[in-house]
Amino acid sequence: MKVAVSIPDEVFAETESLAKQLKTSRSELYSRALGEFLGRHAPDRVTELMDRVVAAVGDKPDSFSKRAARRVLRRVEW
């Protein structure tokens, strides 16, 4: 979706510089920045999204994960 917003010139200039440094587009940089902002200021939304992922993937470990966990637990000093 395209959106027109007004931002201070210095913020735009810093964004341009950072986008070049990160080798990404301005759009991608603004999108990532807004995503981080929303994550900090709308924690319920982050939880909701994480719940969707768990529902889609499932919360029961597969046999590989179980074996890996056992292997790690054996190496840990208790």
Side-chain angles (χ1 to χ4, degrees):
M1 169 171 289
K2 289 189 175 199
V3 177
V5 295
S6 297
I7 58 172
D9 290 342
E10 59 273 5
V11 172
F12 180 80
E14 286 185 50
T15 303
E16 285 287 296
S17 176
L18 184 57
K20 286 178 186 173
Q21 181 182 348
L22 296 175
K23 296 180 182 166
T24 190
S25 67
R26 274 193 316 258
S27 293
E28 176 64 22
L29 191 59
Y30 285 122
S31 180
R32 288 169 51 188
L34 284 171
E36 287 185 27
F37 183 87
L38 291 171
R40 288 189 188 138
H41 296 283
D44 291 340
R45 176 73 174 136
V46 173
T47 301
E48 176 188 328
L49 293 172
M50 290 175 72
D51 288 345
R52 283 188 196 175
V53 170
V54 169
V57 173
D59 60 353
K60 296 185 180 183
D62 56 37
S63 62
F64 170 80
S65 297
K66 287 178 184 178
R67 288 192 315 270
R70 284 189 196 108
R71 190 173 293 154
V72 168
L73 288 173
R74 282 188 215 118
R75 294 179 189 164
V76 175
E77 271 190 50
W78 293 90

